[in-house]
Amino acid sequence: MNMTLTPTTAHQIRNVAIIAHVDHGKTTLVDKMMLQSGQYRNEDLAKLAGGQHGLILDSNDLERERGITILSKNCAVRYTSTSGDSYRVNLIDTPGHADFGGEVERVLGMASGTLLLVDAYEGPMPQTRFVLEKSLLHGLRPIVVVNKVDRPDSRPQEVVNEVFDLLVEMDAPEEFLDFPVVFASAREGWATLDLNEPSDSLRPLFETIIEHVPPPEVGLEDGPLRMQVTSLDYSDYVGRIAIGRVREGTIKRRQRVLVFDRQGNSAERQVGQLLGFDGLDRKEVESVAAGDLCAITGLEPIEIGDTISDLTCTDPLPAVPIDEPTLHMTFRVNDGPFSGREGKFLTSRQLGERLDKELRSNVALRVGPGPSQEQFCVSGRGLMHLGILIENMRREGFELCVGKPEVILRDIDGVRSEPIEQLVVDCPERCQNAVMALLGDRRANLTKMTHRESSGFVHLEFTIPARSLMGLKNRMLNATQGEAIMHHTFLGYEPIRGATPSRPVGVLIANESGMATAYSLDALYDRGEFFIRPGDQVYEGQVIGEHCRVGDLVVNVVRGKKLTNVRAAGKDDNSQVRPVRAMSLETCLEYIEEDELVEVTPSMVRLRKMMLIEADRRRAARQANG
């Protein structure tokens, strides 16, 4: 067992968080930094990355399938500078989607500096502003890395000026405005301080980190132990593993410590294993001093935000501030006719236990009681934030129904207010009018417009109510022939802007249970567009398509062709099977109305009416109309 990690002195440690907008290349850069540190060979990285994906820090299935980072992760690389000194750089990879901003907020406390990645063409985007604002609150000075400078349409100098303007707009400290700039191509694995001086490695980036990211304060090593848990891992052998940065003092293996929870209650426990980071591995060490990152076992029960301190300490560290959720939806047990056919976890008790488990690590999530004992009100940062949770539960064997997502309203100074988001749209100039018309109906206000002549695109920035984003993506792609690029992030709360258009058409609803037939679907194709294929099992009350007109239409899709000895048998199977609309989980969540649910099982995602029987729906409609 390796009981030492080199180097161990504080001035040889650099803690760096890598922050950026989605798809600007954070995880790709971390992989290349690990490769060029000499700790891994190409074959090792490919094996760890799981084959074709190539990004080892995107470790779970959903991250690899979607090509995004969902969970913050950290690793350590060794680097020998040009002066011959050896350093350990602790790298913290963060998500780029606004919906996972809670992951960014809770891990920035481990860093002493940040690498702010910006795409050489796109420049600062909505999430760039969000993550930069959070890092400034922690007093972290950014190193600006202009990535993808090898793109043919890159505009690196303009992007640097835009980052400067953004910092000025955000009232950054004056010393932060003189930020170091590194130009890089993370995919090709090189960086340079001057575009006229080409490079073949990331050494200029490493040297900039060593020079501009401050080492941990050495004087804190002599004080009483204090550290805060910013991440959790789990092992079947040792249970929960607490991860964080030692703020003061030194923590030792087998040491007796106090653990303060968020309410300030303390309990005495003993450190089990003490693990330091080396590459992707964790190695057992005897002690970890202030400024370094470590992982600790044996402290259960332990939660994110808890403080681990010396037995003589009475003051826990302040809790990590997390922005409040902006969206909520109702989770409930699956009470449909097909309940229990596929899932292993069906009851409200199992659903509640799973949500409680998620709360332990998902700090941006909130769970409260619903209208009944079988329902839970789950709040999160956005549709993708909650969609990822539902997708993980589905893969674990849960069956559940989910209601329409709704924004969380607040009363601010006696005024009813709603969440407002910043929306950025890049689209071809010929589609500009269609985009403006689409967003104008949704109460969006245009704040900035720039033409990018090199690509023929126009860059539009709006403020828009969060509720108006529901179902916007598909309509935006239709309006721009699939060429628009759209990003958004939370800005704040403003007075409610007024009504926005709901779904313009009704839905097709099955009136019988059974197997959908090609014959019946073919006879109904002029009524709208279907979500199901011939051979799919349907039940009464299931939403099986979109009506071509306003209002819902109840149809029979299980009717078969009556066979007689009069017709020729060859004409019975000439039904036309047309393409269906593929509906992903998040698309379904955006699509449904208040009287509908999304039914989620391990292998299927269905849409259904809340009341399955047509007579019940009619009776409820009469009562609602008085």
Side-chain angles (χ1 to χ4, degrees), residues 366-406:
R366 303 286 185 274
V367 178
S372 69
Q373 291 184 344
E374 295 184 345
Q375 300 182 29
F376 302 88
C377 181
V378 183
S379 308
R381 284 289 183 84
L383 204 59
M384 182 177 284
H385 182 207
L386 296 175
I388 291 293
L389 168 62
I390 297 169
E391 179 66 23
N392 282 325
M393 294 175 64
R394 181 178 78 82
R395 296 184 180 204
E396 293 166 13
F398 281 85
E399 286 192 15
L400 67 154
C401 287
V402 185
K404 178 180 173 62
E406 296 178 349

Side-chain angles (χ1 to χ4, degrees), residues 279-307:
L280 290 170
D281 302 324
R282 297 172 186 160
K283 298 183 179 179
E284 193 165 355
V285 295
E286 285 291 346
S287 64
V288 174
D292 206 353
L293 311 184
C294 65
I296 307 167
T297 68
L299 298 182
E300 289 193 79
I302 188 108
E303 306 288 348
I304 288 176
D306 289 0
T307 298

Side-chain angles (χ1 to χ4, degrees), residues 55-233:
L55 298 179
I56 49 180
L57 287 190
D58 284 351
S59 53
N60 67 48
D61 292 339
L62 274 178
E63 289 179 324
R64 290 178 174 173
E65 289 172 17
R66 298 187 180 214
I68 60 173
T69 301
I70 296 172
L71 302 173
S72 296
K73 306 174 191 69
N74 51 289
C75 61
V77 299
R78 295 189 295 268
Y79 173 71
T80 303
S81 68
T82 52
S83 61
D85 296 327
S86 183
Y87 294 88
R88 184 165 79 247
V89 181
N90 292 315
L91 297 171
I92 306 163
D93 185 27
T94 63
H97 277 276
D99 287 18
F100 309 117
E103 291 287 315
V104 181
E105 292 164 335
R106 67 179 175 83
V107 299
L108 284 178
M110 294 196 290
S112 303
T114 59
L115 292 183
L116 177 65
L117 255 72
V118 187
D119 188 289
Y121 167 71
E122 293 183 350
M125 296 293 279
Q127 184 69 356
T128 309
R129 170 187 287 271
F130 173 81
V131 295
L132 188 55
E133 179 185 11
K134 297 302 177 184
S135 69
L136 292 177
L137 290 175
H138 284 78
L140 303 177
R141 184 181 179 187
I143 296 173
V144 175
V145 180
V146 182
N147 192 25
K148 306 183 185 180
V149 292
D150 52 346
R151 287 181 59 163
D153 54 358
S154 67
R155 46 189 193 94
Q157 296 299 339
E158 293 177 44
V159 167
V160 172
N161 294 335
E162 290 173 6
V163 174
F164 180 85
D165 293 341
L166 179 60
L167 284 166
V168 172
E169 185 182 334
M170 298 176 69
D171 295 325
E174 190 171 339
E175 60 272 17
F176 285 16
L177 300 180
D178 186 22
F179 50 81
V181 179
V182 180
F183 302 99
S185 171
R187 186 178 62 179
E188 299 299 325
W190 59 263
T192 180
L193 303 181
D194 187 346
L195 286 171
N196 296 320
E197 298 179 5
S199 169
D200 59 357
S201 72
L202 292 173
R203 181 171 285 275
L205 176 60
F206 278 111
E207 292 293 332
T208 305
I209 291 173
I210 300 304
E211 180 181 354
H212 292 281
V213 176
E217 298 180 36
V218 179
L220 297 176
E221 295 182 11
D222 302 325
L225 166 67
R226 287 209 302 176
M227 71 170 284
Q228 192 163 50
V229 180
T230 53
S231 187
L232 287 176
D233 201 352

Side-chain angles (χ1 to χ4, degrees), residues 366-577:
R366 303 286 185 274
V367 178
S372 69
Q373 291 184 344
E374 295 184 345
Q375 300 182 29
F376 302 88
C377 181
V378 183
S379 308
R381 284 289 183 84
L383 204 59
M384 182 177 284
H385 182 207
L386 296 175
I388 291 293
L389 168 62
I390 297 169
E391 179 66 23
N392 282 325
M393 294 175 64
R394 181 178 78 82
R395 296 184 180 204
E396 293 166 13
F398 281 85
E399 286 192 15
L400 67 154
C401 287
V402 185
K404 178 180 173 62
E406 296 178 349
V407 297
I408 299 174
L409 303 178
R410 293 183 184 175
D411 288 317
I412 300 177
D413 297 329
V415 179
R416 198 68 170 161
S417 303
E418 66 177 344
I420 301 294
E421 305 237 354
Q422 181 189 23
L423 174 68
V424 173
V425 181
D426 288 303
C427 67
E429 290 187 16
R430 68 178 187 278
C431 303
Q432 178 181 337
N433 290 341
V435 171
M436 299 281 280
L438 177 64
L439 294 175
D441 292 340
R442 291 172 174 257
R443 306 286 178 175
N445 295 333
L446 179 67
T447 58
K448 182 179 178 182
M449 180 171 65
T450 9
H451 291 270
R452 292 179 175 167
E453 298 178 359
S454 60
S455 61
F457 270 56
V458 60
H459 178 82
L460 304 168
E461 295 186 13
F462 301 85
T463 60
I464 185 171
R467 58 193 162 92
S468 298
L469 294 171
M470 301 289 182
L472 176 62
K473 183 178 179 181
N474 285 337
R475 291 190 173 92
M476 179 70 71
L477 293 176
N478 289 336
T480 60
Q481 291 81 50
E483 295 189 67
I485 301 171
M486 189 175 76
H487 298 287
H488 60 88
T489 190
F490 175 71
L491 271 184
Y493 275 80
E494 292 182 9
I496 294 177
R497 292 189 178 181
T500 56
S502 58
R503 190 172 63 200
V505 292
V507 292
L508 301 175
I509 308 167
N511 69 348
E512 284 189 29
S513 299
M515 185 180 73
T517 64
Y519 173 74
S520 57
L521 290 175
D522 181 56
L524 293 167
Y525 273 125
D526 60 339
R527 298 292 187 176
E529 189 176 7
F530 284 95
F531 306 150
I532 62 168
R533 296 177 174 83
D536 288 351
Q537 292 290 329
V538 301
Y539 55 80
E540 182 180 3
Q542 181 178 336
V543 174
I544 48 92
E546 181 178 85
H547 193 199
C548 59
R549 298 180 181 179
V550 177
D552 297 341
L553 180 66
V554 179
V555 296
N556 186 350
V557 293
V558 302
R559 182 166 55 96
K561 175 114 174 177
K562 303 300 181 184
L563 300 179
T564 71
N565 60 353
V566 176
R567 296 182 180 90
K571 294 186 179 294
D572 292 343
D573 299 322
N574 287 342
S575 301
Q576 298 294 319
V577 180

Side-chain angles (χ1 to χ4, degrees), residues 259-267 305-307 314-317:
V259 177
F260 291 88
D261 61 19
R262 295 181 186 179
Q263 289 73 39
N265 303 317
S266 63
D306 289 0
T307 298
T314 57
D315 298 322
L317 292 167

